Amino acid sequence: MFVVGLTGGIGSGKSTVSAWLAERGAVIVDADAITRAVQEPGTEVFQAIVERFGPEVVAADGSLDRKALAAIVFSDPEALAALNAIVHPAVGAEVARRLQEEAGTDHVVVLDVPLMVESGRVPAERLIVVDCPEDVAVRRLVGQRGFSEEDAQARMAAQASREERRARADLVIDNAGSLEDLRSQVDAAWAWVQEAAAAASAGSVPGGAGDGRGT
C-alpha cells in the first residue's frame, strides 16, 4: 500500500480530482463520505450532535439538516470545535479501519481529507493539494452548489489558507483553468504517484515538490 493524501479548500475541485484518480486505479478513502455515514440517524454521532445543537438540526425526514448545522458552526468557532470533537474520532476510526484493510496490498490509496492540513498531520507518503484562487472557489460554490456568497466565505475562513496548504504540498494541482487542463494535470499527478509508489516498493522514495509528509 502506498498512501497519498489529497486535500484542497472548499470549491477547489478536489472531489473531481479524487474521482479521476479513482478512474486511473486509485483506491479512494473519502473522509467526507465517511463523515456523512457516521452522521446517519441512529448512530451515536447523530445522537451526540442533536444533544449538543438541539432539534433544529434535524430535518423533517429525521436526517441531519446539514445546512442548518453549517449555519450554526461556521459562524461560531466554539460550536465548530464542539462539532469536530464529536465527529472526528468516529471518522478517524473508520479511516484507520479502511487503511488497515489495504495494508499488505500494492494499491495506491488516496486519502481524501478536506481538512488534512488543518489537522496538523498528514498520514500519507505524499500530499497532493488541489488549489485555485478564492474568487474562483466562491464563484463555483455559488453557481454550482447553491451557496450564498456569505456562506462560502465563512466556510473558507474556517479552513487553512491557500498558502498554508501549498506550503505542505508535495504536488500542487492548479484548478483555476479548464477541465481539459485539470485532466492533464491529473494524468501527470497519477504518473508521479505511480513512480513514487514504485520507488517506495524498491526502498527509495523520490522527493516531491515540498515536504508534505506528516509524523
Side-chain angles (χ1 to χ4, degrees):
M1 174 179 68
F2 186 80
V3 182
V4 178
L6 177 67
T7 195
I10 187 169
S12 65
K14 176 183 62 63
S15 295
T16 299
V17 171
S18 181
W20 286 354
L21 288 172
E23 290 177 0
R24 286 154 179 75
V27 174
I28 308 297
V29 177
D30 184 342
D32 269 348
I34 292 171
T35 298
R36 290 190 292 271
V38 302
Q39 293 175 342
E40 287 293 322
T43 63
E44 292 181 5
V45 169
F46 177 85
Q47 185 61 36
I49 290 173
V50 175
E51 289 177 359
R52 171 60 176 80
F53 296 99
E56 60 267 30
V57 300
V58 180
D61 64 359
S63 66
L64 187 66
D65 188 334
R66 300 180 192 283
K67 185 173 288 188
L69 183 60
I72 295 171
V73 302
F74 287 110
S75 61
D76 182 346
E78 184 177 332
L80 180 59
L83 177 64
N84 289 341
I86 294 169
V87 175
H88 284 181
V91 173
E94 178 61 15
V95 167
R97 186 190 70 78
R98 296 193 187 186
L99 289 176
Q100 183 59 38
E101 286 183 343
E102 295 296 327
T105 73
D106 61 357
H107 297 161
V108 170
V109 178
V110 172
L111 186 53
D112 181 345
V113 181
L115 302 180
M116 187 174 290
V117 169
E118 288 84 344
S119 73
R121 182 172 181 270
V122 180
E125 300 294 335
R126 289 290 181 266
L127 177 64
I128 297 174
V129 169
V130 185
D131 182 62
C132 72
E134 291 184 1
D135 62 321
V136 174
V138 169
R139 214 163 43 239
R140 289 172 180 159
L141 292 171
V142 172
Q144 299 173 15
R145 294 171 59 178
F147 282 60
S148 68
E149 186 168 339
E150 182 181 34
D151 188 17
Q153 294 283 6
R155 295 198 185 207
M156 291 170 65
Q159 297 184 341
S161 68
R162 292 178 66 200
E163 292 74 21
E164 289 171 321
R165 281 190 295 269
R166 292 178 69 102
R168 297 296 304 277
D170 290 302
L171 181 71
V172 175
I173 293 178
D174 182 354
N175 188 22
S178 66
L179 283 176
E180 291 75 14
D181 181 51
L182 180 62
R183 191 178 294 276
S184 175
Q185 291 185 70
V186 172
D187 284 337
W190 182 241
W192 172 78
V193 167
Q194 288 182 303
E195 179 185 358
S201 180
S204 175
V205 179
D211 184 10
R213 285 167 288 178
T215 56

